[in-house]
Amino acid sequence: MHFTSERRLDDGVLEREFTLDDIPGILWTPASASAPAPLILIGHPPLGLRRMYPRLAGRARHYAARYGFSAATIELPGSGERPRWDAVEQARADLRRAMEAGEPVGDEIVDALVLPLVEKAVPEWQAALDALLRLPGLGGPVGYEGGVISIGIRLTVVEPRIVAAGFFAGSLVPTAMFEEARQVTIPLHVLLQWDDEGNDRQAALDLFDAFSSKEKTLHANLGGHTGVPQFELDAGARFFARHLI
């Protein structure tokens, strides 16, 4: 891991950009901590770190200020400043064409779009976690939140260091991921926008039902994809506080 920039934000949070094997990432650490800080891995959709930065930084700074958590994120394969990925670019084009034509999005499009991303992104998240936990001041436990829900499912199944997760419900989930969801047993906090224009509500509910966690909470709010109420940020922070402190 190589740090490329460092700045102290006005609330005292230290923000450091880094690269890990040419993968860009950002680490936020609280202004002060008396013990190694728990870490939250913040996922995001494949829109690029620069575009997603205000939301990611806002969440990270909230966690740092409220509970003294550190947070980190990395760029997804084929997104942002990383090299284009032809197979995924084609799948995205096929998805756009189907949606613009008002056609159902078939399983073959969803599989081509999501499964290669899961296969490549999850080992990168694990490598980032290896590097992050070697840094002074970071000691776990570890939570994961947000991002492409299929990545979160796979990561929580294969990565024992993640002890709690907050998912954002989405319907572009390959059928194969429902079986993996049945292997998820850690505590879950799931957000669902009831009127999400790009989300099949029933598919999201079926996925929630598939999780095997003994503690799983669904927070459903009225409104579209970008209408998540601000108070849900604090609800998510309290969820992680219960499991990371």
Side-chain angles (χ1 to χ4, degrees):
M1 176 176 284
H2 173 65
F3 286 103
T4 58
S5 71
E6 177 179 313
R7 63 172 179 155
R8 184 72 65 176
L9 305 179
D10 55 15
D11 53 5
V13 171
L14 180 63
E15 178 183 275
R16 287 176 284 176
E17 296 189 10
F18 63 84
T19 58
L20 179 68
D21 296 330
D22 297 323
I23 302 170
I26 308 173
L27 170 64
W28 296 270
T29 50
S32 61
S34 58
L39 173 66
I40 299 178
L41 304 177
I42 304 181
H44 54 90
L47 301 175
L49 276 182
R50 298 303 172 195
R51 182 173 172 183
M52 293 300 301
Y53 173 82
R55 291 192 215 172
L56 299 172
R59 301 186 76 84
R61 295 173 73 173
H62 183 82
Y63 294 144
R66 187 69 187 269
Y67 293 109
F69 296 157
S70 293
T73 190
I74 58 173
E75 187 69 88
L76 288 174
S79 295
E81 300 170 2
R82 297 188 64 179
R84 298 297 92 188
W85 190 359
D86 290 343
V88 172
E89 290 289 324
Q90 182 60 54
R92 288 174 182 166
D94 293 341
L95 174 64
R96 284 194 297 270
R97 277 196 295 269
M99 296 182 71
E100 289 169 0
E103 299 172 351
V105 178
D107 289 346
E108 67 283 356
I109 294 178
V110 175
D111 289 356
L113 179 66
V114 178
L115 292 179
L117 190 60
V118 171
E119 293 293 336
K120 192 167 185 177
V122 167
E124 293 180 350
W125 272 112
Q126 290 184 286
L129 184 54
D130 289 341
L132 288 164
L133 291 182
R134 286 195 291 265
L135 296 173
L138 295 181
V142 180
Y144 174 88
E145 73 148 20
V148 178
I149 194 168
S150 292
I151 293 176
I153 291 169
R154 171 70 60 79
L155 190 56
T156 56
V157 168
V158 302
E159 182 47 73
R161 291 173 290 185
I162 296 176
V163 301
F167 290 153
F168 300 165
S171 59
L172 294 180
V173 180
T175 301
M177 297 307 301
F178 279 74
E179 186 56 40
E180 293 197 34
R182 294 183 179 92
Q183 302 175 51
V184 176
T185 59
I186 63 174
L188 295 179
H189 178 98
V190 182
L191 291 179
L192 170 63
Q193 285 304 101
W194 202 248
D195 307 303
D196 191 334
E197 58 280 5
N199 185 34
D200 182 328
R201 184 192 303 162
Q202 189 57 53
L205 294 173
D206 290 344
L207 182 62
F208 180 80
D209 190 52
F211 293 124
S212 295
S213 304
K214 292 182 179 179
E215 179 189 333
K216 57 179 180 179
T217 304
L218 179 67
H219 283 218
N221 292 282
L222 298 177
H225 184 73
T226 60
V228 179
Q230 181 65 25
F231 60 73
E232 286 292 2
L233 177 58
D234 197 50
R238 291 196 304 272
F239 164 78
F240 282 118
R242 289 199 303 273
H243 299 288
L244 302 185
I245 296 177

